[in-house]
Amino acid sequence: MIVDEQLLFKIGSRTIGVGNRCFVIAEVAQSHDGSLGMAHSFIDMVAESGADAIKFQTHIASAESTPQEPWRVPFSRQDTSRYKYWERMEFTAEQWAGLKQHADEKGLVFLSSPFSVEAVILLRKIGMCAWKIASGEVSNHQLLHAVLEDKKPVLLSSGLSGWQELDTAFQLIRKGGAPCTIFQCTSEYPTAPEKIGLNILDQIRTRYSCLVGLSDHSGEIYTGLAAATLGASCLEVHIAFHKRMFGPDVPSSLDSKELTSLCRGVDAIHRMIVNPISKDEQGLAAEPLRQIFGRSIVLNRSIEAGTTLIPEMLSFKKPGTGMAPNEIDRVLGRRVRTQLSSDTLISYDDLI
């Protein structure tokens, strides 16, 4: 496998890029519903699943929103406005630091998408090894400049952007000296299979000569497995404890069993891709099984010595330890040396 070393980079201790397992990010988003205890429980769940990273979203209502912000989906019966909902989703700097420490203890990469420069400042203080930029922030160059200050890898979602806007953002990130992975993303919740856009993975790879990822909102494992097979270096999926949990992201989420299945599938796909086999060597290794499951040329009746073999006397039966069926032309028209019984496997020594 040919690997472009220039495209490899680290997120924490994980190497991202061709030849490495697809980096799986479990996105909590708002599924914690403002509960710090629930947020910590998600860390334990993700650690058990086999995912590489857990990701939150850091919202500071006064820094990113106004009371006029409309609901995307009017799901909440307890929040009088979208602004109030964002306030309820906030954690303090100390609480974010505690979540980061918990993820570190569990061996997970901790990520959180900032939605304001103030959120960038907060997260930088607790230590971020990469920045995930949400689809709605691609044109927020103030935010991009803020995350580029430490030149950490930038994971850029593209669900709300066309090529021109992505071109500008990618050039800004590249000029800033940070590695960048662009995520194909469809901002529909949940996303139907026909709208996932797996074809865009290659278009991104070709257009920007960068690693590609998929931010998946389908709520199914098939999408992520397909992306991993097609060479996505990163995969982000939303998670929930149960499909009946409260919150706007739940319909687009995987539960704990699905997340575990996805991670196992990604592991298996990686092993398949990085371990090519030789068909000839495979055939040689299968010789013992060929003898068990293969077929040989056998007599379907008893015959006397000197009998000339014709098609009607012969069958192909297991095991495959005698002459192979494709050698039939070397048998027909030959005479047998001795008397042979039915179901005898023909050998060259039997022929005159």
Side-chain angles (χ1 to χ4, degrees), residues 219-323:
E220 303 284 356
I221 70 170
Y222 318 117
T223 311
L225 296 176
T229 303
L230 292 173
S233 295
C234 299
L235 172 64
E236 179 186 68
V237 292
H238 282 258
I239 57 169
F241 285 117
H242 193 278
K243 299 286 191 178
R244 288 191 173 272
M245 282 183 66
F246 173 79
D249 300 307
V250 172
S252 311
S253 299
L254 304 182
D255 63 24
S256 59
K257 290 183 179 179
E258 290 171 325
L259 179 62
T260 299
S261 294
L262 173 70
C263 292
R264 288 176 177 171
V266 168
D267 285 337
I269 290 166
H270 173 65
R271 294 199 300 272
M272 295 178 217
I273 291 173
V274 301
N275 291 288
I277 64 172
S278 161
K279 194 62 179 172
D280 287 333
E281 290 178 2
Q282 183 184 38
L284 289 172
E287 186 58 34
L289 292 178
R290 284 168 57 89
Q291 293 182 7
I292 295 173
F293 295 114
R295 294 177 183 260
S296 300
I297 302 171
V298 302
L299 289 171
N300 58 30
R301 66 193 71 178
S302 297
I303 58 174
E304 300 296 326
T307 301
T308 299
L309 295 174
I310 60 175
E312 290 75 16
M313 299 176 181
L314 303 173
S315 296
F316 303 142
K317 296 184 180 182
K318 300 174 184 177
T321 53
M323 297 181 69

Side-chain angles (χ1 to χ4, degrees), residues 322-336:
M323 297 181 69
N326 60 8
E327 297 181 274
I328 187 67
D329 289 339
R330 304 178 69 177
V331 172
L332 292 174
R334 301 281 294 276
R335 290 183 295 125
V336 296

Side-chain angles (χ1 to χ4, degrees), residues 28-36 39 56-61 64 71 75-76 78-79 82-92 95-96 99 246-249:
V28 178
Q30 273 44 261
S31 289
H32 56 71
D33 197 41
S35 164
L36 182 63
F56 294 91
Q57 296 179 4
T58 301
H59 294 279
I60 301 173
E64 71 175 76
W71 292 100
F75 63 90
S76 179
Q78 68 184 104
D79 304 296
R82 184 74 159 165
Y83 185 91
K84 289 294 184 182
Y85 176 69
W86 291 134
E87 284 187 321
R88 192 163 62 82
M89 293 301 105
E90 294 180 14
F91 295 132
T92 67
Q95 289 170 333
W96 280 119
L99 290 167
F246 173 79
D249 300 307

Side-chain angles (χ1 to χ4, degrees), residues 299 302-307 336-342 344 350:
L299 289 171
S302 297
I303 58 174
E304 300 296 326
T307 301
V336 296
R337 191 181 304 278
T338 60
Q339 179 180 343
L340 299 173
S341 59
S342 179
T344 296
D350 295 322

Side-chain angles (χ1 to χ4, degrees), residues 35-288:
S35 164
L36 182 63
M38 186 79 77
H40 279 281
S41 294
F42 271 114
I43 293 174
D44 293 327
M45 166 190 157
V46 172
E48 294 172 1
S49 73
D52 298 284
I54 187 165
K55 190 179 84 67
F56 294 91
Q57 296 179 4
T58 301
H59 294 279
I60 301 173
S62 61
E64 71 175 76
S65 185
T66 68
Q68 289 76 42
E69 181 185 359
W71 292 100
R72 174 172 63 83
V73 178
F75 63 90
S76 179
R77 295 178 181 271
Q78 68 184 104
D79 304 296
T80 56
S81 67
R82 184 74 159 165
Y83 185 91
K84 289 294 184 182
Y85 176 69
W86 291 134
E87 284 187 321
R88 192 163 62 82
M89 293 301 105
E90 294 180 14
F91 295 132
T92 67
E94 291 75 20
Q95 289 170 333
W96 280 119
L99 290 167
K100 167 69 162 54
Q101 181 180 356
H102 188 179
D104 290 345
E105 291 168 353
K106 290 294 184 177
L108 292 171
V109 171
F110 177 89
L111 299 171
S112 189
S113 293
F115 286 81
S116 62
V117 172
E118 289 84 345
V120 173
I121 294 170
L122 183 158
L123 291 169
R124 180 173 282 123
K125 287 180 179 178
I126 69 172
M128 299 295 291
C129 57
W131 296 100
K132 177 61 169 51
I133 304 301
S135 294
E137 305 301 323
V138 172
S139 64
N140 186 348
H141 292 180
Q142 182 189 40
L143 182 70
L144 293 180
H145 281 296
V147 302
L148 287 170
E149 287 181 13
D150 51 17
K151 302 187 187 306
K152 298 289 179 65
V154 175
L155 312 177
L156 186 68
S157 271
S158 64
L160 300 177
S161 301
W163 290 120
Q164 185 174 358
E165 191 172 40
L166 273 180
D167 288 347
T168 301
F170 182 75
Q171 289 165 10
L172 189 156
I173 294 167
R174 174 164 284 179
K175 185 176 180 180
C180 181
T181 295
I182 296 181
F183 285 60
Q184 163 55 10
C185 173
T186 301
S187 298
E188 294 187 17
Y189 311 88
T191 307
E194 60 270 20
K195 295 187 177 181
I196 295 295
L198 291 177
N199 61 298
I200 298 178
L201 294 176
D202 265 340
Q203 294 175 22
I204 291 172
R205 189 183 286 115
T206 301
R207 188 180 187 94
Y208 301 113
S209 296
C210 72
L211 300 180
V212 298
L214 181 75
S215 181
D216 178 29
H217 300 133
S218 69
E220 303 284 356
I221 70 170
Y222 318 117
T223 311
L225 296 176
T229 303
L230 292 173
S233 295
C234 299
L235 172 64
E236 179 186 68
V237 292
H238 282 258
I239 57 169
F241 285 117
H242 193 278
K243 299 286 191 178
R244 288 191 173 272
M245 282 183 66
F246 173 79
D249 300 307
V250 172
S252 311
S253 299
L254 304 182
D255 63 24
S256 59
K257 290 183 179 179
E258 290 171 325
L259 179 62
T260 299
S261 294
L262 173 70
C263 292
R264 288 176 177 171
V266 168
D267 285 337
I269 290 166
H270 173 65
R271 294 199 300 272
M272 295 178 217
I273 291 173
V274 301
N275 291 288
I277 64 172
S278 161
K279 194 62 179 172
D280 287 333
E281 290 178 2
Q282 183 184 38
L284 289 172
E287 186 58 34

